[in-house]
Amino acid sequence: MKSFKVTEFNAPLTEVDIATPKPEGTQVLLKVKAAGVCHSDLHIWEGGYDLGHGRKPLSLKDRGVSLPLTMGHETVGEVVAFGPDAKGVSIGDVRLVYPWLGCGECATCKAGDENMCIVKPNSIGVYCDGGYADHITVRHPRYLLDLKGLDPVTAAPYACSGVTTYSAIRKLESILDQPIVIFGAGGLGLMALSILKAMGGKGAIVVDIDESKRKPAEDAGALGFVNGAAPDALQQIAAKAGRPVLGAIDLVGNAATAQLGFDCLSKGGKLVMVGLFGGGAPWALPLIPIKAITIQGSYVGNLRETQELIDLVREKKIAPIPVTRMPLTNADAALNDLKKGKLVGRAVLVP
């Protein structure tokens, strides 16, 4: 079994060859067919998050992330073996791996919200080895979703960027009959536009500081594109919306996007924070009650939402976001391209 591991933060990945593991109990072994390279992987690779305001960065090591680690939480694989207690899978099944595992025992996990587990998060590719490899072990078949013919390479991002944006959009479900604002036109932003359309939403104005993202956003159905660095960005958003804005989703998560997202909302609006770029909260505290603004965090999505998303993709024939296929051996290059903003959509590693 070949994998590419983080053995030191901010250092090139290390190629590791070990014996292919044999699944036990309810475990399932899959041969990896595709592994998406997510922006969150950059934070894992770098070892932490910028908290802004001069505070010490949030260390992933302090949060229980230990090295060496095989990253990759957007994985599709083919079942090649399973333990004696694994039910509901067969050799040759092609499945999307749901990676946001919890302890499996607490009330939150038992309610189906493993992604929100606070007892012992065990996310694949974050706390345990993930898809930057030619094989992956998953602890139980319930975390394997049947793709039923969807392309493994374009479907892999549904495990993170897909369910993340789907869950965020659902938090604005009551106002989707009017334009919302989406900050970020990368893989998540393009995914959000496709999902929003499939959910019957009016559409979104997309904000990004990279002009090269304008055409992909427009091609994906954006109602308009605004350069967030423009001095009149706020006025442009208002003009393109044509009415008070009640919902915004920040897929970037830095001080500038959080401020503009807050400012573009009318009274009673909701800002859903998704991105983990980093920085400190910029809002003037009195304006939160004065505008009656809701600021809600959204962390990926649960297993049920992931299944809903796959069903929606199949039912509405949602077009996949652009992907750049790269060999597994180019994992380092993919991370560096992502860091430099060279990618449109998603890079997907193919062993």
Side-chain angles (χ1 to χ4, degrees), residues 72-91:
H73 52 264
E74 295 184 343
T75 310
V76 173
E78 178 182 341
V79 175
V80 293
F82 47 86
D85 301 321
K87 310 298 181 186
V89 289
S90 301
I91 302 299

Side-chain angles (χ1 to χ4, degrees), residues 16 18 22 35 51 80 85 135 149 177 187 191-192 290 307 317 326-327:
V16 176
I18 61 171
K22 296 181 179 180
L51 297 180
V80 293
D85 301 321
H135 288 79
D177 59 342
M191 185 77 76
I290 288 172
Q307 183 62 65
K317 296 180 173 57
M326 303 178 74

Side-chain angles (χ1 to χ4, degrees), residues 304-348:
R304 181 184 65 257
E305 289 174 321
T306 310
Q307 183 62 65
E308 290 173 359
L309 172 62
I310 296 300
D311 293 342
L312 183 68
V313 168
R314 190 176 294 110
E315 177 189 347
K316 299 294 185 178
K317 296 180 173 57
I318 296 177
I321 63 171
V323 298
T324 301
R325 301 171 189 238
M326 303 178 74
L328 176 61
T329 50
N330 284 20
D332 264 316
L335 287 166
N336 280 297
D337 284 351
L338 180 60
K339 188 173 184 176
K340 294 173 184 176
K342 292 184 176 181
L343 295 172
V344 174
R346 256 306 187 261
V348 177

Side-chain angles (χ1 to χ4, degrees), residues 6 67 73 79-80 82 86 103 136 171 189 206-207 213 232 263 272-273 277 281 316 321 327 341:
V6 182
L67 303 184
H73 52 264
V79 175
V80 293
F82 47 86
C103 67
I136 186 172
K171 292 175 174 63
V206 175
V207 182
K213 304 287 179 65
D232 64 341
D263 290 344
V272 181
M273 297 293 301
F277 190 91
K316 299 294 185 178
I321 63 171

Side-chain angles (χ1 to χ4, degrees), residues 13 18 30 37 61 77 84-85 92 121 139 165-166 168 200 216 254 270 302 311 325:
L13 303 181
I18 61 171
L30 301 99
V37 179
K61 183 177 180 181
D85 301 321
R139 77 181 187 202
T165 52
Y166 176 72
N254 63 25
K270 178 187 282 191
N302 60 32
D311 293 342
R325 301 171 189 238

Side-chain angles (χ1 to χ4, degrees), residues 234-252:
L234 190 60
Q235 290 75 21
Q236 288 188 50
I237 293 170
K240 291 179 186 298
R243 59 179 297 166
V245 176
L246 288 175
I249 300 174
D250 186 354
L251 301 173
V252 179

